[in-house]
Amino acid sequence: MRGQINILLVDDHPLVRDGLRARLGAVPHFNVVAEAAGAADALAAAHLRHVDLVLMDINMRGTNGIEATAQFKRAFPDIAVLILSMHDKLEYVSQAIQAGARGYVLKDAPGKDIVLAIETVMAGGIYYSASLAKQLARPLVHDSQLTAREHEVLQQIADGQSNKQIAHKLALSVRTVETHRLNIKRKLGIEGQAKLIKFAVQHAGDAGEC
């Protein structure tokens, strides 16, 4: 039997939250334990209730959802954050990943996609709406020229880890991680953080195979 997943809804539009609550309430093991219209209320709610996953909008009055995600990950590193947004630009996706989000679902996606996204994220995976996944899946260059260590760093980037987190996980210095990132971009002809994250996500499953 599946364990219950306690969900916190964060969106500054009450009608949107009403719709999400109704949609998620149809799944027996989903439990919406709290709602919030902004970052401060969401953090306060997480202190009071047991939360497994936050479903976070980006466009909110005051602190936006990306910064709110970063705040959540600092305060509650074990709580998963899933972005639910109307924006389909990869720059928003990359910023969300860097902030610590485990997935990005578009608001116009079918209801079953939100359910699948939550299931995937709670199982330890990363989820993107189909149209975003198609953009992310466009090949850039082959990555066989990377070293084993660079593949490890690439995998961590795909998982949304910061340089400091990667350094801790791989027992490296932050400066060494930064050097690996620069070498990866140089070898692959990648310019900019967003394109590096795009490549990392695309090749996440291949990192240990080359």
Side-chain angles (χ1 to χ4, degrees):
M1 183 176 181
R2 298 180 184 178
Q4 187 178 69
I5 298 174
N6 292 328
I7 301 169
L8 167 59
L9 302 181
V10 186
D11 195 298
D12 61 358
H13 291 92
L15 287 177
V16 172
R17 297 199 306 271
D18 289 347
L20 286 171
R21 191 190 324 110
R23 182 176 296 175
L24 299 178
V27 181
H29 59 288
F30 286 0
N31 182 27
V32 177
V33 296
E35 300 176 23
D41 288 345
L43 287 166
H47 278 290
L48 296 174
R49 307 297 297 271
H50 172 67
V51 175
D52 299 307
L53 178 137
V54 179
L55 199 55
M56 179 84 72
D57 187 23
I58 286 183
N59 279 355
M60 296 187 293
R61 289 183 290 274
T63 304
N64 66 45
I66 292 174
E67 177 55 32
T69 296
Q71 292 178 8
F72 247 97
K73 297 309 292 183
R74 287 192 294 267
F76 304 100
D78 294 332
I79 295 180
V81 178
L82 177 63
I83 298 293
L84 180 63
S85 175
M86 61 183 290
H87 299 290
D88 62 356
K89 293 182 179 180
L90 291 184
E91 63 188 274
Y92 285 106
V93 180
S94 65
Q95 289 172 10
I97 295 171
Q98 282 297 98
R102 300 292 299 176
Y104 196 109
V105 184
L106 297 176
K107 284 188 173 180
D108 61 359
K112 62 182 178 62
D113 284 15
I114 297 175
V115 174
L116 179 58
I118 293 172
E119 299 277 16
T120 300
V121 167
M122 291 308 300
I126 297 176
Y127 186 90
Y128 302 97
S129 284
S131 61
L132 295 174
K134 187 177 295 184
Q135 294 182 63
L136 290 166
R138 293 177 60 189
L140 298 177
V141 293
H142 198 265
D143 60 347
S144 62
Q145 57 194 299
L146 301 183
T147 66
R149 178 62 83 184
E150 287 165 350
H151 274 301
E152 290 179 325
V153 172
L154 195 66
Q155 178 67 57
Q156 295 299 316
I157 293 171
D159 288 342
Q161 303 297 306
S162 67
N163 284 347
K164 185 176 180 180
Q165 290 170 320
I166 295 173
H168 178 73
K169 286 195 172 186
L170 301 183
L172 301 171
S173 69
V174 173
R175 180 165 297 213
T176 298
V177 173
E178 291 172 349
T179 299
H180 282 311
R181 292 177 81 120
L182 288 173
N183 287 337
I184 291 170
K185 288 194 288 186
R186 176 180 55 79
K187 288 182 178 181
L188 302 179
I190 294 174
E191 294 183 4
Q193 189 68 13
K195 288 185 178 179
L196 176 60
I197 293 172
K198 173 182 175 181
F199 184 90
V201 171
Q202 174 200 339
H203 288 260
D206 304 328
E209 299 176 4
C210 298

